[in-house]
Amino acid sequence: MDKSTRSLLDLKGKVPFLGLTGGIGSGKSSVASFLAKRGAWVIDTDQIAHQISAAGGIAVDLIQSQFGPEFILPDGSLNRAKMREYVFKDTESKRKLEAITHPLIRQETILQAENGLENHAPYLVFVVPLLLESGTWTENLDHIAVVDCEEEIQIRRVMERSQLDRQEVLGIMAHQASRAERLAIADTVIHNQGDLASLEVEVDRLHQKMLDL
Ligand code: ADP
């Protein structure tokens, strides 16, 4: 089959597909690594997006030719901060960038899903930060888990782990679905208000649920 027309739907039905989402800093990566520790096969679309625009990544040449060399850092990777600022202000550029990156992310996601199936994973986990915002993702999934915590906790966690200040975190959050919108599509809500030990208890429950599907 032509690579560009392949779809995750073609792989569906063999093992359950879990979508894992949540706002920035809610704890998606933490949940994903706990699930991986329990034997789940994790495919992180955010990590894939980073890989394709890192030095030597498959999106870099296309981005350079369509946006200009000023968007590429001396080490050959995408200047993420510059691009973020640029597309925040201009929907048309955002669309142009996504026309390059989305098909490449989809292609790599499918490859990793195939690997998971070949490795007899009990279920596949797709970490998709903008699951709701990206429209058709939900039809690929058998179960949706939303990692949730209060917005103040999100802001604090992101500021602690990155160079971003409060205003910048709020700016990113403003471009994401609201907490209520995310909770409305959840089959399972993972509450991540407490410590990592309490989070692991929630993750255990989700893992068991996925094995029972
Ligand atoms: P996301 O992937 O949703 O952006 P992360 O899993 O990266 O969120 O979590 C954001 C930051 O907060 C990370 O540094 C992570 O280690 C930390 N973190 C997440 N959950 C907890 C928790 N329950 N207790 C303490 N730190 C946490």
Side-chain angles (χ1 to χ4, degrees):
M1 198 184 295
D2 177 1
K3 265 187 179 176
S4 59
T5 57
R6 283 194 318 168
S7 149
L8 265 184
L9 285 172
D10 300 328
L11 303 178
K12 217 176 149 188
K14 297 185 174 78
V15 299
F17 285 5
L18 167 67
L20 182 62
T21 193
I24 183 168
S26 59
K28 295 177 294 298
S29 309
S30 312
V31 170
S33 64
F34 286 145
L35 288 172
K37 217 168 76 181
R38 286 158 176 76
W41 189 273
V42 175
I43 298 157
D44 187 330
T45 61
D46 216 20
Q47 221 171 58
I48 294 174
H50 272 76
Q51 273 163 14
I52 65 169
S53 55
I58 49 180
V60 176
D61 285 351
L62 272 171
I63 294 174
Q64 173 156 355
S65 65
Q66 293 197 27
F67 286 86
E70 67 273 24
F71 285 93
I72 309 301
L73 290 169
D75 72 356
S77 66
L78 170 67
N79 186 335
R80 221 169 284 282
K82 190 179 171 83
M83 184 59 89
R84 187 181 325 118
E85 198 182 319
Y86 186 65
V87 300
F88 251 36
K89 293 187 201 132
D90 180 14
T91 337
E92 190 43 47
S93 322
K94 183 163 182 258
R95 217 170 288 138
K96 197 167 107 183
L97 178 67
E98 289 175 349
I100 298 171
T101 55
H102 283 185
L104 297 174
I105 295 170
R106 192 179 323 125
Q107 195 178 305
E108 181 58 26
T109 300
I110 292 170
L111 272 177
Q112 293 192 15
E114 286 171 339
N115 283 341
L117 295 176
E118 279 162 20
N119 280 280
H120 308 289
Y123 61 94
L124 306 187
V125 183
F126 298 92
V127 186
V128 189
L130 302 180
L131 181 68
L132 239 111
E133 297 85 336
S134 45
T136 55
W137 242 108
T138 51
E139 71 194 32
N140 297 316
L141 303 167
D142 300 297
H143 197 90
I144 296 176
V146 173
V147 190
D148 181 64
C149 66
E150 278 167 22
E151 290 182 347
E152 273 310 315
I153 299 181
Q154 268 180 272
I155 297 167
R156 196 188 64 220
R157 285 189 188 140
V158 178
M159 285 175 65
E160 274 168 13
R161 80 157 179 214
S162 69
Q163 307 295 317
L164 300 174
D165 65 27
R166 187 182 174 83
Q167 274 325 104
E168 288 169 312
V169 182
L170 286 171
I172 294 171
M173 286 169 67
H175 280 73
Q176 301 191 339
S178 71
R179 198 176 167 194
E181 284 168 328
R182 273 193 300 270
L183 290 175
I185 61 150
D187 296 305
T188 295
V189 178
I190 304 281
H191 302 280
N192 188 20
Q193 305 261 122
D195 58 12
L196 289 169
S198 336
L199 182 62
E200 269 204 277
V201 174
E202 300 252 344
V203 169
D204 270 327
R205 250 182 247 138
L206 174 63
H207 177 62
Q208 199 50 54
K209 214 184 263 185
M210 291 311 298
L211 295 180
D212 292 344
L213 270 194

